[in-house]
Amino acid sequence: MTERQQMKKQKPEERINNFKEVACGFNKEEALAEAERCLQCKNRPCVDGCPVEVPIPDFIDKILEEDFDDAVDIIKGKNALPAICGRVCPQEEQCEIECILGKKGEPVAIGALERFVADFDLDSDKEEEINSVEAKGVKVAIVGSGPSGLTAAADLAKLGYQVTLFEALAEPGGVLRYGIPEFRLPKSIVDEEIDYIKQLGVEVKTNVLIGSTLTIDELREEGYEAIFVGTGAGLPYFLNLPGENLNGVYSSNEFLTRANLMKAYKFPEYKTPIVTGKNVAVVGAGNVAMDSARTALRLGAEEVSIVYRRSRNEMPAREEEIENAEEEGIDFKLLRNPVKIIGDGDGWVKELECVKMELGEPDSSGRPRPIAIEGSNFTIPVDTVVIAIGQGPNPLLSKKTPELETTEWDNIIVDEETYETSIEGVFAGGDVIGGAATVIAAMGDGRKAADEIQAYLQGKNE
Amino acid sequence: MSKILNKENLAPEIDLFTIDAPLIAAKAQPGHFVIARASERGERIPLTIVDYDRDAGNIDLVVQAVGSSTMEFCSLEVGDELLDLLGPLGEPIEIKEIGTVVCVAGGLGVAPVYPKAKYLKKAGNKIISIVGAQTEEMIIMKDKMEDISDEIYFSTDDGSLGEKGFTTDILTALLEERADEIDEVVAVGPAVMMKAASEVTADYDLDTIVSLNPIMIDGTGMCGGCRVTVDGETLFACVDGPAFDGHAVDFDELMMRQTHYQTQEEKAKHNCKIDKEVG
């Protein structure tokens, strides 16, 4: 078996000084060599591992034939956002973990190949060929333009529905825009993939907050026969510790929104400021925590640490992102839990008081329960603290739509089979119906909800 | 895109803009605000909806050119368009017949006080207004406030209009004489003024509504940058407010948080001025 091709990356000492993409992507030779490794197995376990069922061996076969246009078309038949997914999907837990090659060695680099093909498509001047379908003259509204909304919008537009995508922020993309940093997902890639969705006929309306600017009832009055709610997990969780409202303490949502959406890393050219200082502590160990820590480093922080109450094994971030963070010199303070944020007397954060932890028996999440070691308190000097312990659904829409039933954690309740909410004709998917998950899981929901919306509309209009 | 239909200079570096925004006008209520951005590089600026005309589809906003983004906003003219306008945001205040309401407005605080006073008046309340600023020149919307007030008093730091002193001096005197007549106080202005006003009314156990202006980004509850402590609990001013019970707000924390970007703002403003001079 030949060795898996390793994707070139910007060197750590260089990349910590810029916001350019870290991973450089395969060149043609690397892509061909990697495609060669695919066994083209009959039972295609990788496809089963993909939440949107991309026919992986088929597009890899087209790469081998150097027919990259066809390879793109095969992917886009199932996935409207391949350049994004090629970058941010946790392939190692989905398609690649199922790859037969992985049993004895390393699996095919499916994500890298997807990215190669998608980037080839974006770089080519080829006019996008959109198969024109007969317009059905039926209006569908999509609320939220993150991964689930974009996927549902693309699928429904391809079926001939007249789709309008509503976004509260000034630019579409949701978490792809405000959350994931430029060095992991360039915004030009997000722009281009959303342009493709617009070419499919989707109308994008930004600066419209559904629930406030327009209500769900008003959308129905305007003739939208089905509505998909994909409003994501936009509510930041805090630790509820003393000192959390000191200056210099951010939610990861705020920290990343300032840096990504508002481009604070280009301050003062862009007017939105951000403060990092020399010492930054990021609390949490998911992808958002890694993104926050690596952003802080690029903003000029000298010492950036991840503070996490469990051990490395339990860290929820992708292995690749943890490695990237390690290479860049992020200090991992594991089995440490913050108990107090201490101010300098002038309203600014000065120290983070932590306690050492040990792991006990597994808790309800199946992970070992972290237990504080009494008397082990210590402080670390900090100028900035970023709280990246997760986020929940933003309750704004459900508050303004009392008929929309939610759980006590504000998740919208849907029928497991049909994705329909407590309001007829209103569907929901992505992070708003479950805990914060991944881009691709949200896309899988968007895909399935779109199928159900089609079935609903066909039944209704028969 | 939201077109500027009218622009009126109210005081040095303070302008009132009438904006074409039918969807927002249709839903606007006293206490609501919008987030506006003049250009791609500008900040998202939270601005109270000062007035609205549902039939015409317009809203009024008052902007003071204090930072680089508000300076850019104020350089816009009639016919220009805002890049972004999102709203209505926040929770409106309850408009009902209470009796007599004292409306205290400090400086730019007239902008959020006016719609509350106007609709409280319409609901049958007696309105006693106290409006203050540094100088007479800096008192904004004087005619409009006079129109909707049953009684109105002014204070200026230099005595150029009304009493020499602060709005809270007038409020204190008013309560000493006539506290029995008064049912509620609305006080909006700089945090230090709202804090002082709330302290004055606390002695009389008078319901006091303040409207907070912390730093915000999205205005939809997404970033938590606008968190304020109210009655010991952390709330988000953008979705839980911006109006709160003045007796429950931690004003010292609010004032501290408002200084978060002072250094950066000076830098941006400096750059902006250089741009202007060079460009």
Side-chain angles (χ1 to χ4, degrees):
Chain A
M1 200 192 316
T2 53
E3 294 271 307
R4 175 172 158 128
Q5 295 289 315
Q6 296 302 318
M7 191 183 289
K8 290 189 186 71
K9 294 196 281 191
Q10 266 199 82
K11 290 197 181 73
E13 61 273 23
E14 283 168 17
R15 70 192 193 222
I16 58 168
N17 296 313
N18 67 58
F19 273 82
K20 287 186 211 133
E21 194 170 15
V22 166
C24 307
F26 281 167
N27 61 29
K28 188 174 144 189
E29 288 66 38
E30 290 161 336
L32 289 173
E34 188 61 25
E36 190 85 54
R37 297 179 68 232
C38 175
L39 300 175
Q40 292 289 328
C41 11
K42 287 271 177 300
N43 58 350
R44 301 150 74 94
C46 53
V47 181
D48 296 336
C50 174
V52 296
E53 298 164 338
V54 169
I56 293 161
D58 297 350
F59 91 75
I60 293 181
D61 197 36
K62 289 294 174 190
I63 294 176
L64 271 183
E65 291 175 19
E66 297 192 32
D67 186 350
F68 305 131
D69 288 335
D70 267 16
V72 171
D73 290 344
I74 288 170
I75 300 175
K76 282 195 172 173
K78 290 286 184 183
N79 179 353
L81 310 170
I84 293 170
C85 287
R87 288 171 167 81
V88 303
C89 267
Q91 293 98 7
E92 65 282 1
E93 296 169 9
Q94 297 181 334
C95 50
E96 293 181 15
I97 200 173
E98 303 290 344
C99 178
I100 301 293
L101 283 185
K103 308 275 182 229
K104 284 188 180 166
E106 286 208 89
V108 175
I110 299 169
L113 289 175
E114 180 181 37
R115 173 182 163 167
F116 168 76
V117 168
D119 286 358
F120 172 85
D121 183 44
L122 295 180
D123 290 342
S124 74
D125 298 329
K126 176 178 79 113
E127 278 292 301
E128 203 68 56
E129 277 177 46
I130 307 290
N131 293 331
S132 57
V133 284
E134 199 184 327
K136 288 185 161 60
V138 176
K139 285 166 71 176
V140 179
I142 309 283
V143 182
S145 65
S148 72
L150 287 171
T151 304
D155 281 11
L156 290 163
K158 282 184 194 166
L159 292 167
Y161 291 101
Q162 192 184 330
V163 180
T164 309
L165 188 57
F166 293 96
E167 167 58 46
L169 290 175
E171 291 164 280
V175 72
L176 307 169
R177 179 78 59 183
Y178 72 76
I180 303 178
E182 180 76 14
F183 56 82
R184 201 150 75 82
L185 178 63
K187 298 311 137 201
S188 58
I189 299 282
V190 178
D191 288 337
E192 289 185 272
E193 300 229 301
I194 291 173
D195 278 346
Y196 167 69
I197 285 171
K198 287 182 189 165
Q199 284 170 32
L200 290 172
V202 174
E203 186 189 3
V204 177
K205 288 193 177 175
T206 54
N207 292 316
V208 181
L209 180 63
I210 301 298
S212 295
T213 316
L214 288 171
T215 63
I216 294 281
D217 279 347
E218 284 169 323
L219 289 178
R220 300 167 77 116
E221 282 162 25
E222 284 188 17
Y224 292 98
E225 293 190 35
I227 298 166
F228 174 78
V229 178
T231 45
L235 180 81
Y237 289 152
F238 286 93
L239 293 157
N240 297 317
L241 292 181
E244 208 162 19
N245 292 346
L246 286 165
N247 286 345
V249 182
Y250 288 98
S251 73
S252 52
N253 269 10
E254 181 181 1
F255 192 71
L256 293 174
T257 297
R258 282 182 180 272
N260 299 329
L261 179 74
M262 304 311 291
K263 301 193 167 65
Y265 66 91
K266 294 184 183 173
F267 182 87
E269 181 192 347
Y270 281 71
K271 307 297 181 197
T272 301
I274 197 164
V275 174
T276 48
K278 279 187 199 163
N279 297 305
V280 179
V282 177
V283 182
N287 288 324
V288 173
M290 300 305 140
D291 286 346
S292 302
R294 297 171 67 201
T295 297
L297 204 60
R298 284 158 174 77
L299 287 169
E302 288 169 17
E303 293 287 332
V304 181
S305 41
I306 289 277
V307 178
Y308 180 51
R309 61 188 182 149
R310 291 187 170 93
S311 74
R312 196 183 190 287
N313 285 338
E314 288 78 35
M315 289 174 39
R318 290 182 71 186
E319 182 59 32
E320 183 183 325
E321 300 310 327
I322 297 170
E323 282 169 16
N324 280 332
E326 284 172 339
E327 284 172 12
E328 291 171 12
I330 306 288
D331 175 28
F332 285 76
K333 295 190 193 306
L334 304 176
L335 291 165
R336 302 286 184 268
N337 200 30
V339 290
K340 191 178 178 186
I341 303 171
I342 301 163
D344 66 354
D346 277 328
W348 284 84
V349 58
K350 184 181 155 209
E351 287 173 310
L352 185 63
E353 184 178 326
C354 299
V355 63
K356 292 181 184 171
M357 310 292 282
E358 58 190 357
L359 294 180
E361 293 299 307
D363 62 13
S364 60
S365 74
R367 295 176 297 179
R369 181 191 302 276
I371 303 162
I373 303 172
E374 215 172 302
S376 65
N377 294 38
F378 65 101
T379 60
I380 42 179
V382 286
D383 304 298
T384 304
V385 176
V386 181
I387 313 290
I389 55 163
Q391 48 276 327
N394 189 327
L396 195 142
L397 176 65
S398 46
K399 258 195 198 166
K400 308 265 178 186
T401 319
E403 320 87 85
L404 196 60
E405 285 177 18
T406 57
T407 67
E408 58 179 305
W409 301 280
D410 293 318
N411 289 112
I412 296 176
I413 298 170
V414 295
D415 181 299
E416 277 179 33
E417 296 290 315
T418 65
Y419 287 82
E420 195 167 18
T421 67
S422 53
I423 306 175
E424 194 211 313
V426 178
F427 299 76
D431 282 357
V432 76
I433 65 164
T438 58
V439 168
I440 190 71
M443 290 177 64
D445 274 359
R447 153 75 36 79
K448 287 179 221 146
D451 289 345
E452 295 297 331
I453 288 169
Q454 185 194 19
Y456 165 80
L457 290 171
Q458 278 174 343
K460 189 180 162 201
N461 294 322
E462 251 169 27
Chain B
M1 298 288 253
S2 312
K3 194 179 244 180
I4 296 169
L5 303 174
N6 195 30
K7 179 182 181 182
E8 183 190 340
N9 184 251
L10 301 179
E13 309 201 313
I14 303 177
D15 294 300
L16 183 141
F17 293 87
T18 302
I19 317 264
D20 178 36
L23 289 181
I24 299 174
K27 292 276 165 52
Q29 293 176 56
H32 274 144
F33 70 98
V34 294
I35 295 263
R37 192 165 65 140
S39 73
E40 200 223 328
R41 292 181 184 187
E43 287 172 272
R44 294 167 67 89
I45 312 166
L47 296 165
T48 196
I49 299 177
V50 178
D51 207 349
Y52 46 88
D53 181 336
R54 295 209 169 129
D55 296 331
N58 300 336
I59 60 168
D60 285 353
L61 306 173
V62 169
V63 188
Q64 182 170 28
V66 284
S68 59
S69 298
T70 43
M71 280 158 67
E72 185 191 19
F73 194 124
C74 286
S75 71
L76 298 177
E77 297 298 337
V78 173
D80 289 344
E81 288 183 335
L82 294 172
L83 180 62
D84 301 309
L85 187 67
L86 175 70
L89 302 172
E91 288 295 326
I93 65 155
E94 197 180 359
I95 299 292
K96 60 177 181 188
E97 196 179 340
I98 315 157
T100 299
V101 182
V102 176
C103 293
V104 189
L108 208 65
V110 177
V113 163
Y114 174 72
K116 297 175 179 73
K118 176 179 170 179
Y119 286 88
L120 283 167
K121 171 76 180 170
K122 276 192 180 179
N125 295 290
K126 180 181 175 187
I127 305 294
I128 303 175
S129 296
I130 304 170
V131 180
Q134 287 156 315
T135 61
E136 181 177 13
E137 196 185 23
M138 296 303 287
I139 299 255
I140 60 168
M141 298 169 59
K142 183 167 173 275
D143 295 350
K144 285 186 173 181
M145 284 303 292
E146 282 170 342
D147 282 350
I148 48 116
S149 302
D150 294 279
E151 295 175 35
I152 189 163
Y153 305 95
F154 295 96
S155 72
T156 46
D157 295 1
D158 63 354
S160 51
L161 180 71
E163 299 275 320
K164 182 173 177 180
F166 300 122
T167 50
T168 42
D169 299 335
I170 300 179
L171 178 66
T172 307
L174 188 73
L175 293 182
E176 276 170 8
E177 275 175 39
R178 302 155 61 187
D180 295 350
E181 289 172 38
I182 294 156
D183 300 289
E184 188 177 272
V185 175
V186 174
V188 193
V192 63
M193 179 220 108
M194 292 191 280
K195 181 186 178 186
S198 300
E199 282 168 359
V200 171
T201 60
D203 293 341
Y204 297 88
D205 208 15
L206 256 180
D207 287 349
T208 302
I209 298 172
V210 295
S211 182
L212 308 186
N213 52 348
I215 294 165
M216 283 185 193
I217 305 188
D218 61 288
T220 64
M222 199 188 87
C223 81
C226 67
R227 56 196 190 276
V228 290
T229 301
V230 181
D231 222 359
E233 192 189 351
T234 295
L235 297 176
F236 292 176
C238 68
V239 287
D240 300 315
F244 294 101
D245 169 8
H247 299 144
V249 170
D250 183 342
F251 285 105
D252 293 337
E253 182 186 88
L254 173 71
M255 286 186 264
M256 171 201 92
R257 288 185 63 79
Q258 284 173 334
T259 65
H260 203 159
Y261 296 101
Q262 234 163 31
T263 318
Q264 284 78 7
E265 273 159 19
E266 285 307 313
K267 193 174 169 190
K269 211 160 120 181
H270 180 71
N271 270 45
C272 194
K273 282 184 176 155
I274 291 175
D275 284 352
K276 265 192 184 166
E277 280 160 20
V278 178

